[in-house]
Amino acid sequence: MKKVLAIILCLSLVFAFAACGKDAKKSDAKKTESQTDVATTAVKTVKDGKLIMATNASFPPYEYHEGGKIIGIDAEIAGEIAKKLGLELVIEDMEFASIISAVQADSVDFGMAGMTVNEDRLKEVDFSISYANGVQAIIVKEDSPITTVDDLFAEGAAYKVGVQLGTTGDIYSVDDFGEDLVTQYTTGNEAVVALLGGDIDCVIIDNEPAKAYVANNKGLKVLDTAYADEDYAICIKKGNTALKDAVDVALEELIADGTVAKIVAKYIK
Ligand code: ARG
């Protein structure tokens, strides 16, 4: 009798495990179909129901003002992420150099501003997976004696460089040419105005905004040679893994299904 009971017990355990296994597989299958498990789990944000993004909207084609709205590649990708998380996107425009502190202070949920991932910033914030590549480029006047990046580094060269405050262009230029030769402007556009006015000899800034500034101003060109290659990502408060994981899943899906490429192609012809 005991033996029979033991056998029945064993068998029911085996069946129970098998059933669990099946269930696990079923939900695994669901996950790969829509992959929104993490993204749809409610994440806590600064303001309930909203996803607040800090940016600096003077950076076409990533973020800029048009028709009373902030539009661009970052704004649209952020809109898609918010949709996946079931939240309403709110964009706050501020100085580029203030974005990281706004993220740290919990006054916004994340920063997205064509922001390059680098070692120093990684000490202050976490970054999502990368969604784009950037290149630091050089804008000069059409008749400039500067024709390649190397000209800036030539013996005895002392060209005046303009940058946007707090950007990687700023950090690299100060490193390479020294503080005295580098002027920091609040926006890239102000640096371009200074270049046109003859205050500086070149502007070092990301390639796509550089092209946009040149397209909007006569007498300027972007040098063919690049100054540095970088990856753009979204910055999130250190340790906010719930939001970071949700953003990463959403971004992975948006990259995989071609949404990111479609948005980029809309703004970069
Ligand atoms: N990629 C550069 C950086 O991270 C410049 C970004 C400037 N972005 C902006 N929205 N103004 O430092």
Side-chain angles (χ1 to χ4, degrees):
M1 189 59 194
K2 262 190 203 152
K3 242 191 216 162
V4 174
L5 270 179
I7 289 171
I8 292 174
L9 197 76
C10 275
L11 278 179
S12 52
L13 274 176
V14 167
F15 276 117
F17 272 122
C20 275
K22 240 196 245 151
D23 271 1
K25 265 198 212 104
K26 236 191 257 157
S27 63
D28 268 359
K30 240 190 247 153
K31 207 187 283 168
T32 38
E33 263 165 41
S34 60
Q35 280 198 338
T36 44
D37 272 21
V38 182
T40 50
T41 316
V43 283
K44 234 191 100 40
T45 54
V46 169
K47 275 209 184 94
D48 278 349
K50 302 207 188 315
L51 186 65
I52 309 179
M53 157 175 161
T55 197
N56 171 250
S58 67
F59 202 68
Y62 295 96
E63 45 267 331
Y64 56 103
H65 289 269
E66 197 176 279
K69 267 176 60 182
I70 293 173
I71 61 164
I73 295 171
D74 288 347
E76 286 207 27
I77 294 175
E80 294 295 332
I81 293 173
K83 223 189 277 169
K84 278 192 184 281
L85 304 190
L87 298 166
E88 182 202 335
L89 179 70
V90 177
I91 302 182
E92 272 188 30
D93 193 10
M94 59 184 73
E95 283 188 16
F96 182 75
S98 304
I99 295 174
I100 287 185
S101 28
V103 168
Q104 288 175 318
D106 268 337
S107 56
V108 298
D109 291 301
F110 68 94
M112 189 173 192
M115 189 181 279
T116 303
V117 182
N118 72 15
E119 292 290 313
D120 287 337
R121 290 174 184 165
L122 277 167
K123 288 180 199 147
E124 302 183 301
V125 283
D126 289 336
F127 278 98
S128 69
I129 58 164
S130 176
Y131 62 90
N133 295 109
V135 170
Q136 290 299 311
I138 299 170
I139 312 175
V140 292
K141 278 196 185 167
E142 258 161 10
D143 57 359
S144 171
I146 306 167
T147 57
T148 70
V149 177
D150 293 341
D151 291 341
L152 294 176
F153 292 90
E155 271 288 326
Y159 291 113
K160 288 191 200 143
V161 179
V163 294
Q164 180 178 19
L165 177 69
T167 59
T168 46
D170 179 7
I171 299 160
Y172 305 150
S173 304
V174 169
D175 256 11
D176 285 341
F177 312 116
E179 260 169 35
D180 290 352
L181 287 177
V182 182
T183 308
Q184 285 93 0
Y185 298 88
T186 317
T187 63
N189 202 48
E190 282 164 67
V192 168
V193 170
L195 174 64
L196 286 166
D199 299 340
I200 51 176
D201 301 302
C202 66
V203 173
I204 297 183
I205 198 155
D206 306 50
N207 191 42
E208 290 304 329
K211 284 198 258 172
Y213 293 138
V214 166
N216 291 332
N217 292 283
K218 271 210 190 101
L220 299 179
K221 65 180 180 189
V222 182
L223 296 186
D224 290 334
T225 44
Y227 185 54
D229 288 312
E230 11 189 69
D231 291 320
Y232 293 166
I234 292 172
C235 71
I236 296 166
K237 190 176 183 179
K238 251 200 178 314
N240 189 354
T241 45
L243 182 59
K244 181 183 143 49
D245 290 349
V247 167
D248 278 345
V249 170
L251 262 179
E252 269 163 23
E253 292 176 15
L254 293 168
I255 292 167
D257 72 7
T259 306
V260 167
K262 217 162 88 196
I263 293 171
V264 170
K266 178 173 157 192
Y267 287 92
I268 302 176
K269 303 284 180 223

